[in-house]
Amino acid sequence: MAHTKSTIAFLLTAVTAGGCAVNAANEETSEETSALVGDPVYPTAHPRIYLPPNRDRLKAALDASTPAASRFRSRVNAWVGGADIWGFGAWNAALLGQLTGTTSYCTKSVATIETQVKNAETRIASGAVPEVAGDSYLQIGEMIGDLALVYDWCLPQVTSSQRTRWIAYANQAVWNVWNHTQARWGSQTFPWSGWSVDNPSNNYYYSFLRATMLLGLATKGENSQADAWIARFRDDKILGQLVPTFSADLVGGGSREGTGYGVAMRRLFELYDWWKATTGEQLATKTTHSRSSMLAMIHQVVPTLDKVAPTGDHARDSSAALFDYHRDYLQELMATFPTDTLSARAKYLLANSSVPSMTQSFMVAYDFLDDNAGIVAVPLTGLNTTYHAKGIGEIYARSGWDTQATWVNLIGGPYTESHAHQDQGSLMIYKGGWLAYDANIHSHSGLAQQTTAHSLVRIDSNGTPINQIAATTSTVMGLMKGSNFTYAAVDVTPAYRGNAAIQKVQRELVYVQPNVAIVYDRVQSTTATAQTWQLASPVAPSISGNSATITNAGHTLKLTRIAPTSATMSTFSFTADSDFTGGFRLDQRLPGGDQRYLHVFSVDGAVSSTAASGTNGVTVNLAAGGQITATFNRDTPGGSLTISGVTTPLTATVAALAE
């Protein structure tokens, strides 16, 4: 058989030889760190993970046949009965077995993990790597986490031999993650890239943490490596790496990977919850990121409560539709902050969203685990309508919290992750549906990162777009929230990392609630370049002179160019690229030089007329009565805004916004 004593010996020898030297140091560090931050308490009896403080609550839900509990039981029963449910972890049945005392649930769970381990042993014996090592160990959190939970929750049905083999295999997998250059399986070395083992802002990191934490907690006292894994998770990775990184880089919450890959942070929030339930220690509040992420997600969800801001790669679903993962993201945070008013607002959002309960069988367990009748939904009304997630470079503004509100997004900040896009300075507008959007929505791949897919000023050299460069940080130079307007100014020149052809790229936005936006751009590039002011939209714009109208989802967006007077509008269809199924882009092309652009956006006929006001300003007459005049400094951020006779200076200062 593949799982021979020699295979097990190879596993144990590799981990012992590669890991014991650091174990003593890690254990010593763990003791020193614990003395500083307060000791978590590690339970010794099984089951130990999550269940001790939650068992009675979950059992009561099952006994009462609450909707979430009934759905969970039904899905587990289907899986145990042979249904092939994608992504369904064996831990689901192990959990139900613990809560009901029905041994057949653990029988199936243990058999499933045994198959995982046997398959791994077979591949190792043949000189190959097991499945858990695939895609740079991306699935280790799911696979070893599943093993650890079944081990803990079904231990009486795991034989002594199985315990030894499972631990040996799991230890080797986790050791390989944190020692990528020396990674080995059996007697062979299989080094790998070590992708994101030291990057707390990347989704892979949370998978690595899940395997490490759960294996350590589940096998503590029964596995010579368990204390090392706990120390690696808590002291090295969370307190030593993630907390300082998030505190410095992710002020305001969210993920620099965008709203697609960034939703993987739900797995991190789950670990916070399960760690606290197991050890009593609250890791989530070691940084403000956790709570801020709940607020950021609320603002990222568009007014119709069925989509999120489509920032970054969206390989699973390029449309950025609200999904179970976003629901879980908020529910994990609600579990951490159950008495916070933000949790009450998040509950309202989810209850009224397009995902009022999990839609996928492999996700129903999270509705069961996080069902909390004690959180009473509170409407979103009352929250500030503008939010600045500084760490991810996102500014969100809306006219209100009703489903027919207008929503606006301006991007200006860090561009540091591989799943982020070249979208610094880009603009999106939503009302009932997308009016100005990220064209990635209409891509097959969900990976349309290039500047040509976003609503910004593109700069070309010799006919080729000049890329924005990763590992750069654009700057919010001005931010102000008035009683009925939001002003923001961003400098995205740094995104081009000193490219000699580009001297300045700045964008200012004045959004006047509910349906007017004024955008001013300063772009300076060499005469050898060309500049294209572009606006991406899901439907073709209707062009008339210096204006264009976009109609979608029963609403209209009219764009009027005030300056320059010389540009000509044209339409580009994204379907010219085989990656796209639809989408259009309004282009206005000018030669390189020191150019200024001034545009007025009117939603649903809010503007009756516009006229230039001086060289760098515009007067906007409103259809409902009233007048807006915005003037901008030609060369530096700032200017003035007059609404119905009341003038407010627009300054290059970033104001702190109320929640």
Side-chain angles (χ1 to χ4, degrees):
M1 296 293 291
H3 50 291
T4 61
K5 290 183 179 179
S6 60
T7 302
I8 299 170
F10 277 141
L11 287 168
L12 291 171
T13 300
V15 175
T16 302
C20 278
V22 298
N23 289 345
N26 281 345
E27 289 168 9
E28 184 176 331
T29 302
S30 176
E31 292 174 2
E32 292 173 354
T33 306
S34 295
L36 293 174
V37 301
D39 283 329
V41 177
Y42 300 108
T44 57
H46 294 278
R48 55 179 66 159
I49 296 174
Y50 187 74
L51 282 173
N54 289 295
R55 176 193 292 276
D56 290 346
R57 173 179 63 86
L58 296 175
K59 191 174 185 306
L62 286 168
D63 292 342
S65 296
T66 65
S70 295
R71 291 187 72 215
F72 172 64
R73 189 199 301 268
S74 173
R75 290 296 79 205
V76 172
N77 285 340
W79 180 77
V80 171
D84 183 10
I85 303 176
W86 186 90
F88 199 83
W91 65 265
N92 287 264
L95 173 61
L96 191 54
Q98 266 293 328
L99 296 174
T100 63
T102 303
T103 58
S104 58
Y105 292 121
C106 273
T107 299
K108 176 66 179 285
S109 296
V110 170
T112 299
I113 299 303
E114 177 65 10
T115 297
Q116 179 191 155
V117 177
K118 282 184 177 180
N119 289 343
E121 290 168 338
T122 298
R123 290 190 59 81
I124 294 165
S126 69
V129 299
E131 181 184 355
V132 72
D135 195 3
S136 301
Y137 289 84
L138 175 60
Q139 297 303 322
I140 191 171
E142 296 294 334
M143 297 179 71
I144 300 304
D146 209 18
L147 179 153
L149 290 173
V150 172
Y151 177 99
D152 180 40
W153 293 345
C154 296
L155 191 62
Q157 289 179 249
V158 182
T159 68
S160 176
S161 173
Q162 286 175 326
R163 295 178 193 185
T164 299
R165 292 171 38 250
W166 290 15
I167 288 173
Y169 155 68
N171 276 346
Q172 189 64 64
V174 172
W175 191 87
N176 285 352
V177 163
W178 304 121
N179 299 274
H180 64 280
T181 62
Q182 306 168 62
R184 57 191 301 116
W185 290 106
S187 60
Q188 298 188 52
T189 301
F190 293 95
W192 64 287
S193 68
W195 174 256
S196 288
V197 295
D198 292 315
N199 182 6
S201 295
N202 187 276
N203 65 93
Y204 276 68
Y205 194 86
Y206 317 132
S207 181
F208 303 157
L209 290 184
R210 190 172 198 269
T212 306
M213 184 193 96
L214 292 178
L215 180 60
L217 291 177
T219 64
K220 182 176 172 61
E222 299 144 11
N223 171 10
S224 62
Q225 302 295 307
D227 286 341
W229 303 145
I230 290 172
R232 179 63 61 97
F233 167 78
R234 177 185 180 274
D235 303 339
D236 181 13
K237 292 301 174 180
I238 295 292
L239 300 181
Q241 197 168 63
L242 183 146
V243 168
T245 298
F246 281 17
S247 295
D249 294 351
L250 292 180
V251 175
S255 168
R256 291 184 178 182
E257 292 191 294
T259 54
Y261 283 82
V263 79
M265 280 186 171
R266 69 188 180 87
R267 306 318 302 268
L268 173 65
F269 303 149
E270 175 191 42
L271 296 184
Y272 290 158
D273 183 29
W274 288 29
W275 177 269
K276 183 177 186 297
T278 305
T279 72
E281 182 183 30
Q282 179 62 278
L283 295 175
T285 54
K286 301 294 183 184
T287 166
T288 61
H289 173 266
S290 303
R291 184 182 183 279
S292 295
S293 291
M294 182 155 42
L295 187 56
M297 177 60 79
I298 289 172
H299 282 270
Q300 287 167 341
V301 176
V302 298
T304 48
L305 306 184
D306 60 349
K307 305 176 187 69
V308 294
T311 48
D313 286 344
H314 281 257
R316 181 189 57 80
D317 169 29
S318 62
S319 74
L322 199 69
F323 184 62
D324 291 9
Y325 296 161
H326 305 100
R327 177 178 176 82
D328 186 43
Y329 185 104
L330 284 175
Q331 288 194 149
E332 295 293 351
L333 291 168
M334 290 159 61
T336 296
F337 303 100
T339 62
D340 196 301
T341 55
L342 272 186
S343 293
R345 296 185 189 280
K347 187 166 188 175
Y348 177 91
L349 185 156
L350 292 176
N352 290 276
S353 76
S354 58
V355 191
S357 61
M358 296 298 181
T359 65
Q360 304 297 309
S361 292
F362 72 95
M363 291 295 294
V364 297
Y366 292 104
D367 273 350
F368 172 55
L369 294 174
D370 295 326
D371 189 17
N372 186 347
I375 300 176
V376 179
V378 172
L380 298 167
T381 305
L383 283 175
N384 197 333
T385 53
T386 300
Y387 188 71
H388 179 207
K390 177 182 178 182
I392 61 174
E394 302 281 349
I395 298 170
Y396 308 102
R398 63 180 71 206
S399 60
W401 289 99
D402 57 290
T403 58
Q404 288 301 307
T406 299
W407 177 96
V408 178
N409 170 227
L410 177 65
I411 299 177
Y415 171 30
T416 59
E417 291 296 320
S418 62
H419 288 299
H421 285 193
Q422 298 177 48
D423 56 6
Q424 296 300 307
S426 67
L427 177 74
M428 289 190 281
I429 300 175
Y430 187 96
K431 186 179 179 70
W434 290 112
L435 298 174
Y437 79 153
D438 184 327
N440 190 50
I441 284 176
H442 271 128
S443 69
H444 289 290
S445 67
L447 309 175
Q449 297 190 356
Q450 60 272 25
T451 58
T452 52
H454 302 95
S455 299
L456 43 71
V457 182
R458 187 181 85 238
I459 303 171
D460 297 344
S461 176
N462 297 319
T464 300
I466 297 177
N467 290 333
Q468 294 183 353
I469 306 300
T472 57
T473 300
S474 297
T475 305
V476 174
M477 302 185 73
L479 181 63
M480 178 190 304
K481 175 68 171 71
S483 61
N484 59 349
F485 75 90
T486 296
Y487 165 70
V490 297
D491 182 4
V492 301
T493 315
Y496 297 93
R497 195 187 281 171
N499 189 305
I502 299 173
Q503 291 76 53
K504 180 184 293 184
V505 183
Q506 296 176 346
R507 169 163 280 184
E508 291 181 75
L509 165 70
V510 174
Y511 168 55
V512 180
Q513 296 171 315
N515 290 320
V516 178
I518 302 167
V519 176
Y520 185 76
D521 293 289
R522 300 179 192 85
V523 183
Q524 184 177 0
S525 61
T526 62
T527 55
T529 65
Q531 299 176 11
T532 303
W533 191 100
Q534 53 190 39
L535 186 75
S537 65
V539 296
S542 174
I543 298 173
S544 177
N546 69 333
S547 68
T549 302
I550 296 165
T551 301
N552 188 41
H555 297 277
T556 62
L557 174 68
K558 182 178 181 181
L559 167 72
T560 302
R561 185 185 69 246
I562 307 302
T565 58
S566 57
T568 300
M569 294 183 179
S570 63
T571 300
F572 170 81
S573 173
F574 283 107
T575 56
D577 183 330
S578 61
D579 186 35
F580 290 86
T581 61
F584 298 84
R585 194 181 67 221
L586 178 70
D587 288 350
Q588 300 179 85
R589 187 177 175 89
L590 285 179
D594 193 11
Q595 306 285 10
R596 300 295 181 270
Y597 303 81
L598 178 58
H599 293 85
V600 175
F601 295 82
S602 168
V603 177
D604 290 344
V607 173
S608 59
S609 65
T610 60
S613 177
T615 306
N616 299 286
V618 62
T619 294
V620 177
N621 293 307
L622 303 177
Q627 189 177 80
I628 303 167
T629 298
T631 60
F632 300 90
N633 300 333
R634 185 184 189 282
D635 296 319
T636 59
S640 66
L641 174 66
T642 301
I643 302 177
S644 298
V646 179
T647 299
T648 303
L650 303 178
T651 61
T653 57
V654 178
L657 301 178
E659 184 175 294

